[in-house]
Amino acid sequence: MVGAAALLLVLFVIILPFTPVAGKIKRGLKEVFGSPDDPVAPVDSDPPAPAPQPGPDPEPAPWKAPTPSTMYLDVPKGTDVRKLAQAIDLKVDVRIETGEVASKTRRKKNAYEIEYVVKATLPMPAMTMEELQSVNPELQTLLPGLPAMVETAQVSPWFERLYEKKAARLRRDATTLSAMLTRHNLYDCETMLNLRHPDSGRRVFLMQAEMDVVSDGSDGDRLPVMPAEIVNSTNYQPFTSYGWKKTGKTPNPMVAGWEKRIETARKELAEAGTSASRKAWLRDRMTMLQRGIVDMKARSFLIAEYDPFVVIPVNILLDRNDAYAPNVGDYCVVVFGKKVYPAIVGDGGPDFKVGEASLRFARELNAQAGIYSRPVSDLTVTYLVFPRTADQPFRAPDYAHWRKRCEELLKEVGGLGGGAALHEWKDLFPKNEGGEEAEESG
């Protein structure tokens, strides 16, 4: 049934002490490496070559929801039901029956068990103009060309794949309880549509979702000094998927912190009490850190606190065949309320959730937004990406150019209406006394 699918996971277990199974999420083009407290980004080489311009659209495949499934699994020791993710309703029904004598009953596995059922109703995508406007009534006024494109819209296959990923995580995490997706993260995407303007033929990938925050990136040329807590952080990621060849001589400020971590690792390697497995992990980490330093010396990256960009799941970004799939560097506009914001696709995120943007973007929508505080929790943000529009080669952000390109692309799909104008991003980077961006290293 296309309406909604129920995910049923039935577990029969004996009550024992439980322990959660630790896990880490690969986020974007970054990789969690070794210790949970010390994630390190892998190093990208040159940006991927531009994808070939697509031909005619294929015949649309009918949208279908992931199918329900039932599993019987053993719960790991130590799993704590009290740590069940918030906003999930837990219903408990204790049933007491009379059996045989205790000496016989205690040997029957099903005499004392827990029946644990996880139910998840998966949503259908919004597919009509009325449904799109239900989360943002201003859409048709701001984008008068949108209704004509929605009439022939196809549901993106990535919508189905997104909810398949979510269902897979529910199956995987059903025995850990504390790792279950929250209700918020399960229902974070209203729709993904493939649109094409009937006159210009311009393709658009439309997504409606919330907006979470990312805070990655570094660039010594534009920001030579960063706070010590960031430079020395083992969690801050200096890289974004969008990067370009370094043009200045000012070193990336994150290099010093990574070199310090390598030195710390060398000292631990030299200690007599360091185990063989720990030494192997340290050597691998040092190799990763060294590769990262090489990359930071050769390339620059977006900085989430200063640059306005959006984040798309990495599995979508890496698709070079889907004519509508956004790729790194593609131009996009974001519609929220009565405003339209130009941006680019600047980074890759997890494949099981959507709706992310840089800290700079988040604070423009909501001044209270922060690293741990999303600007928009409702599914009221509309992202429109123009696939295959990235400038080649990648280069340092030019907000005026970004705005101009987005304005040109919008004109190909009907332009802006209602007296709206694209937002103008200001350069917030610190300046030296001469008015130029600072050149001294911290």
Side-chain angles (χ1 to χ4, degrees), residues 217-219 223-231 236 252-254 303 305 442:
S218 60
D219 176 9
L223 191 68
V225 178
M226 298 181 77
E229 59 267 25
I230 290 180
V231 172
Y236 188 87
N252 187 313
M254 293 298 296
I303 304 176
E305 187 175 358

Side-chain angles (χ1 to χ4, degrees), residues 6-12 66-73 115-119 167 170-172 174-175:
L7 171 65
L8 300 177
L9 306 169
V10 182
L11 306 165
F12 291 92
T67 55
S69 65
T70 299
M71 299 185 302
Y72 298 87
L73 303 173
E115 183 179 283
Y116 163 44
V117 180
V118 178
K119 295 182 179 179
L170 291 180
R171 295 185 183 99
R172 187 197 73 184
T175 59

Side-chain angles (χ1 to χ4, degrees), residues 394-421:
F394 293 170
R395 57 180 181 266
D398 180 340
Y399 305 149
H401 175 69
W402 289 7
R403 185 176 185 273
K404 180 176 180 292
R405 284 294 293 129
C406 287
E407 191 172 50
E408 292 169 350
L409 292 165
L410 279 171
K411 287 179 180 178
E412 295 184 26
V413 294
L416 290 174

Side-chain angles (χ1 to χ4, degrees), residues 21-94:
V21 177
K24 277 292 185 181
I25 299 169
K26 284 188 178 180
R27 188 197 175 284
L29 297 180
K30 309 170 182 69
E31 175 182 46
V32 173
F33 184 83
S35 166
D37 297 322
D38 197 350
V40 178
V43 180
D44 297 331
S45 56
D46 292 334
Q53 292 300 316
D57 291 348
E59 287 296 317
W63 180 84
K64 65 181 188 301
T67 55
S69 65
T70 299
M71 299 185 302
Y72 298 87
L73 303 173
D74 291 329
V75 175
K77 292 182 180 180
T79 300
D80 189 351
V81 70
R82 294 171 300 176
K83 294 182 179 179
L84 187 66
Q86 294 180 354
I88 298 178
D89 296 329
L90 179 63
K91 299 179 180 179
V92 179
D93 181 11
V94 179

Side-chain angles (χ1 to χ4, degrees), residues 327-345:
N327 294 148
V328 176
D330 283 343
Y331 286 100
C332 66
V333 295
V334 176
V335 182
F336 180 67
K338 297 181 179 181
K339 295 184 178 181
V340 184
Y341 302 85
I344 65 166
V345 176

Side-chain angles (χ1 to χ4, degrees), residues 138-211:
E138 303 294 331
L139 274 180
Q140 185 168 339
T141 300
L142 295 172
L143 302 172
L146 188 57
M149 293 191 288
V150 172
E151 285 182 7
T152 58
Q154 302 174 17
V155 176
S156 169
W158 291 107
F159 183 86
E160 179 182 349
R161 294 172 197 171
L162 171 68
Y163 278 97
E164 284 175 345
K165 292 287 185 181
K166 294 177 185 291
R169 288 184 68 84
L170 291 180
R171 295 185 183 99
R172 187 197 73 184
D173 297 336
T175 59
T176 64
L177 300 182
S178 59
M180 295 285 284
L181 283 172
T182 64
R183 182 185 297 266
H184 176 91
N185 285 332
L186 178 59
Y187 303 112
D188 63 5
C189 183
E190 186 81 352
T191 194
M192 292 182 184
L193 298 177
N194 292 341
L195 309 177
R196 191 166 189 172
H197 194 270
D199 297 328
S200 68
R202 170 62 65 186
R203 292 178 171 89
V204 179
F205 173 86
L206 181 148
M207 178 176 73
Q208 284 187 325
E210 59 179 21
M211 183 179 284

Side-chain angles (χ1 to χ4, degrees), residues 7 14 69 88 101 118 122 132 137 154 197 239 275-276 281 288 307 331 340 392 407 412 417 429:
L7 171 65
I14 302 230
S69 65
I88 298 178
V101 295
V118 178
L122 301 181
L132 295 178
Q154 302 174 17
H197 194 270
F239 313 100
S275 67
W281 181 85
M288 181 67 76
D307 294 320
Y331 286 100
V340 184
Q392 296 291 339
E407 191 172 50
E412 295 184 26
F429 282 92

